[in-house]
Amino acid sequence: MSELERKVERYRENLLRMLELKKGLIDAEISLVSLKLSLNLSAYEWKKLVNGQLEEREGEVWELIKNTPVHIKNRDKVYKHFQKTLLEKDIKISEIAEALDIDINKIIRIVKRLNINRDIETEKKIENFLGVKVFE
């Protein structure tokens, strides 16, 4: 295996590890920015952590996620699933809004269930675009 292949493999492992970490942060409702303050990281350390190059501090992040109360992890399941799907597919809400010609605020209201009446047609458009079942 060449040096380039090893670097690519290492980069891929970092991306997959960070994807799982970010999913955990979504469940715990912890932002990446707040990690910098919580773990008392410098800007350089925080950037390395976000890129998956600071493995020795990832355990502390998982500990923060683990110590998050259960009621926080269990609320807004549909919205969190939607965020994780966007993360996995590397899509932004603005891209969905542009592709489907739907207002971003309307998408957020639908996903967070803030509408009094469900807009099933828009929900189906979003699910078809993502290719994943998001709504129950």
Side-chain angles (χ1 to χ4, degrees):
M1 186 181 277
S2 73
E3 185 64 28
L4 180 61
E5 289 173 334
R6 272 182 273 207
K7 283 184 180 181
V8 169
E9 188 61 33
R10 182 76 180 137
Y11 181 73
R12 183 179 296 128
E13 289 171 6
N14 286 348
L15 284 178
L16 292 174
R17 217 177 47 257
M18 288 313 299
L19 180 67
E20 290 304 314
L21 187 76
K22 288 177 183 178
K23 286 180 186 179
L25 290 172
I26 289 171
D27 279 336
E29 297 181 18
I30 300 172
S31 69
L32 284 172
V33 176
S34 67
L35 279 180
K36 184 177 176 186
L37 298 173
S38 299
L39 300 177
N40 197 20
L41 298 171
S42 67
Y44 177 72
E45 290 174 324
W46 180 78
K47 186 70 173 169
K48 284 184 77 169
L49 178 70
V50 170
N51 290 332
Q53 299 169 347
L54 196 63
E55 293 180 48
E56 58 270 9
R57 299 295 297 266
E58 288 178 21
E60 295 175 44
V61 178
W62 283 113
E63 195 63 34
L64 281 172
I65 293 169
K66 189 177 119 189
N67 291 336
T68 303
V70 175
H71 72 279
I72 292 176
K73 291 181 179 178
N74 288 336
R75 68 180 172 198
D76 288 336
K77 284 286 193 181
V78 173
Y79 184 64
K80 289 178 183 179
H81 179 63
F82 178 71
Q83 285 182 313
K84 288 186 223 176
T85 303
L86 293 180
L87 186 65
E88 287 174 352
K89 296 194 176 276
D90 196 26
I91 300 174
K92 296 179 182 174
I93 293 178
S94 59
E95 293 173 11
I96 295 174
E98 187 178 315
L100 299 177
D101 196 32
I102 301 172
D103 185 44
I104 292 175
N105 294 324
K106 182 176 182 179
I107 293 173
I108 293 171
R109 284 193 310 270
I110 289 171
V111 174
K112 286 190 171 185
R113 305 274 189 198
L114 298 177
N115 292 345
I116 295 172
N117 298 323
R118 285 182 66 182
D119 189 352
I120 296 173
E121 181 181 326
T122 306
E123 288 178 4
K124 288 185 181 191
K125 283 182 184 178
I126 293 169
E127 286 177 343
N128 287 338
F129 181 79
L130 293 175
V132 176
K133 182 101 172 117
V134 177
F135 306 99
E136 287 90 37

